[in-house]
């Protein structure tokens, strides 16, 4: 039996999601104040550990299974000439993920994470959103379910990433439809397109947004998104249902997540931003989501790479919080 | 036999240090251009891996033994009332490091690093630098040697950290003596002192700098530093002699390293900045050293904590560089 079978069902699920454990948060804050360091000296690591504990329901958490899921999809809008790479690269990169040759494979190993890849109907690209909605309701529901079902029950930290030639165009259109402004505010160079292609992308984004204007985050996801974006949204929602914290990747992942935030206030309370991508509009998108990135290393690869790199930051925060001795335990004067 | 027995000997060593392997650098740049990602898409990870390979003499490096060394010292200048914590905390925290209860213990475990602690004559604080030089030449040479000898021959990545009540005052005085400006430009709240203590610190820094003005980085280290700062400088120099890359920690570690840079141009070419500390003047100090930090997480703990947290960033960079497949190997179209 599916967790949901329509966008309406999915929308209802989002409304009824669990929140953090406030008792665990308070207990974690108390513990944090007793650890052998000056108050606040671990900076953002302190808030991260407390936040993580509140979602896991404990004042002394550990991070068990870390899961990295890469979703891949193809985009009909590539017919407009919006990418520096041919569409065939999506399926080629899926094979590369499967044989362990991509960046996210190495980063997952460093993070001690289990990585998997889901290719979503690569032989059937979404429709060109300058002509019609990218997906039918049935198609977007299948993609959401693919993401939802990909999250393992025993996962304790989730990263979702993507591969899909053309998907920065899709993400820019989503961000523009969600937050307004001009198409050029949200359209960037993706994998590294030249000025000519950037102009085409910007025009394509403007056309898509004009055609599919909506106040509904899930409708924007359906009309301007792609299967891998919908799958990321589905996985992030599934994590919320299981109180599994999530680290966001770059521009495309954030755009997918933003559709959930638009559909339901607070839908991303279980989510932190892993990094600031070099893709120009990512900072603006994170501002709209009120998320401060953990890393800023000029990365713009996607695949979940930035978020996977940030796993060890979260892990370090939790290990400090749960592993350090208190002033009393260590016999250190508290100042 | 000691590697050096006077500041003059040590100065001579600094002049004759080895540089990076330019052939390895070029080969690593070529490899980087062939990996399955758009050019530059891994951002700073790409330059990091190439830089690391150039120091290790290979285009396809791995990071073997990571060594974290914490040096502890006591400061006579605490008699002036410059810290929120009593001097006894230095020896108490050394015991905490030894029993595994401090932040840097947890962070070393996450980084897969071997951690050790060297307490330098804690029962004999340095002299109060507002009255006389902090150390005699013999004392600073012993401290430099302690650091030099603490670096294992098989180490492939080094972090040095410190513990020493009063040592942000020492670091501020060093930075002011090296780079000029006003004492208040370089003096911050350290472990969290109030306005009153901050005013005392600033006066103490100004007095020390006025008394010990010099153009000589090693003389500044001797007169205004502390044993743990000299030991960090000695360890960073030893790493250079062995072509072991180093990750800098925060304000105090950076001040110690800056003495080497003042003594010899390029002395920190084998060094990257691990993080930007919340201690106010750290950014200004990193600017003076022309180093861009990898992390910026509002940390201000010392102990090597920020640099140890950054180990996994460097490790991830190297694993991507050396572990990814090339376009040709993976059968991916290169765009």
């Amino acid at each position: 039996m599916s967790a949901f079978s329509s966008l309406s069902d999915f929308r209802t699920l989002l409304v009824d999601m669990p929140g953090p454990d406030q008792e665990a948060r308070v207990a974690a804050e108390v513990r944090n104040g007793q650890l052998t360091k000056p108050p606040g000296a671990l900076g953002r690591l302190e808030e991260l550990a407390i936040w993580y504990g509140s979602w896991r329901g404990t004042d002394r958490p550990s991070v068990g299974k870390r899961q990295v899921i890469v979703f891949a999809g193809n985009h009909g809008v590539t017919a407009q000439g919006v990418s520096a790479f041919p569409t065939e690269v999506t399926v080629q990169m899926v094979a590369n993920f499967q044989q362990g040759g991509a960046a996210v494979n190495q980063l997952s190993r460093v993070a001690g994470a289990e990585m998997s890849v889901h290719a979503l109907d690569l032989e059937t690209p979404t429709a060109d959103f300058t002509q019609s909605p990218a997906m039918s309701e049935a198609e977007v529901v299948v993609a959401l379910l693919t993401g939802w079902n990909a999250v393992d029950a025993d996962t304790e930290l989730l990263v979702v990433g993507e591969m899909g030639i053309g998907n920065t165009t899709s993400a820019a259109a989503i961000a523009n439809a969600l937050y307004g402004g001009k198409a050029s505010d949200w359209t960037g160079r993706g994998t590294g397109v030249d000025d000519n292609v950037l102009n085409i992308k910007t025009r394509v984004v403007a056309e898509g947004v004009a055609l599919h204007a909506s106040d509904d985050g899930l409708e924007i996801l359906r009309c301007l998104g792609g299967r891998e974006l919908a799958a990321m949204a589905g996985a992030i929602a599934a994590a919320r249902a299981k109180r599994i914290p999530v680290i966001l990747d770059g521009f495309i992942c954030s755009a997918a997540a933003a559709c959930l935030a638009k559909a339901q206030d607070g839908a991303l309370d279980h989510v932190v931003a892993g990094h600031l991508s070099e893709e120009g509009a990512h900072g603006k998108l994170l501002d709209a989501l009120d998320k401060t990135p953990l890393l800023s290393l000029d990365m713009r690869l996607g695949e979940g790479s930035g978020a996977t790199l940030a796993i060890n930051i979260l892990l370090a925060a939790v290990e400090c919080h749960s592993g350090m001795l208190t002033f009393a335990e260590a016999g250190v004067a508290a100042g």
Side-chain angles (χ1 to χ4, degrees), chain A:
Chain A
M1 208 192 83
S2 289
F4 50 89
S5 59
S6 68
L7 275 186
S8 169
D9 285 0
F10 182 69
R11 198 183 311 274
T12 303
L13 271 178
L14 288 182
V15 175
D16 291 330
M17 289 292 189
D21 181 331
Q22 295 302 344
E23 275 185 47
R25 162 173 281 279
V26 170
E29 284 169 352
V30 169
R31 175 173 170 78
N32 180 57
Q34 296 169 337
L35 300 175
T36 47
K37 57 177 180 52
L42 280 173
R44 291 195 65 195
L45 299 193
E46 299 185 16
E47 68 183 66
L48 259 184
I50 293 165
W51 166 85
Y52 184 82
S54 75
W55 282 98
R56 300 305 295 163
T58 170
D59 66 336
R60 206 164 171 175
S62 61
V63 185
K65 177 170 165 176
R66 288 83 92 175
Q67 190 180 8
V68 174
I69 316 176
V70 181
F71 298 101
N74 270 324
H75 292 258
V77 75
T78 55
Q80 303 282 336
V82 293
S83 178
F85 286 79
T87 309
E88 292 74 42
V89 165
T90 305
V91 70
Q92 292 166 350
M93 281 300 296
V94 166
N96 196 24
F97 296 135
Q98 287 165 340
Q99 68 189 308
V104 71
N105 297 96
Q106 325 312 316
L107 295 167
S108 294
R109 192 172 62 245
V110 171
E114 293 184 25
M115 195 203 114
S116 58
V117 191
H118 291 256
L120 289 97
D121 292 332
L122 296 187
E123 68 292 352
T124 311
T126 53
D128 177 350
F129 65 60
T130 65
Q131 309 299 316
S132 63
M135 291 174 277
S136 68
E137 170 155 351
E139 287 172 326
V140 74
V141 167
V142 166
L144 284 163
L145 273 171
T146 300
W148 181 281
N149 292 327
V151 180
D152 295 338
D154 61 344
T155 292
E156 300 190 1
L157 179 64
L158 178 68
V159 163
V160 289
E162 45 53 48
M163 176 71 215
I165 296 301
N167 67 9
T168 54
T169 304
S170 175
I174 287 173
N176 192 7
L178 290 174
Y179 301 113
K182 292 177 295 185
S184 58
D185 296 340
W186 299 102
T187 309
R189 292 184 187 273
T191 52
V193 303
D194 62 22
D195 287 349
N196 180 43
V197 178
L198 181 61
N199 288 336
I200 296 170
K201 276 181 82 166
T202 307
R203 175 183 55 74
V204 163
V205 168
E207 287 178 18
V209 172
L211 190 58
H212 304 294
S214 171
D215 278 338
D216 176 347
L218 300 183
E219 188 64 8
I220 288 170
L221 178 64
R222 180 180 79 82
C223 293
L224 296 167
R227 291 190 175 84
E228 78 280 34
L229 281 92
M232 286 192 286
I236 292 168
R240 175 60 168 267
K242 296 168 181 157
R243 291 172 52 169
I244 301 168
V246 176
I247 305 179
L248 281 189
D249 195 42
F251 185 60
I252 300 149
C253 177
S254 301
C259 296
L260 298 177
K262 180 80 167 188
Q264 178 61 39
D265 275 355
L268 302 183
D269 287 352
H270 66 307
V271 169
V272 289
H275 83 128
L276 176 65
S277 168
E278 207 188 29
E279 179 71 7
H282 190 219
K284 192 174 159 78
L285 183 49
L286 289 180
D287 286 346
L289 294 172
D290 196 22
K291 302 286 183 193
T292 307
L294 293 170
L295 301 173
S296 181
L297 292 165
D298 302 337
M299 296 168 70
R300 52 176 170 79
L301 179 59
E303 302 181 1
S305 56
T308 305
L309 185 59
I311 288 177
N312 271 323
I313 303 292
L314 178 58
L315 184 61
V318 169
E319 290 288 309
C320 283
H321 178 87
S322 296
M324 286 174 70
L325 293 180
T326 64
F327 283 108
E329 287 167 346
V332 174

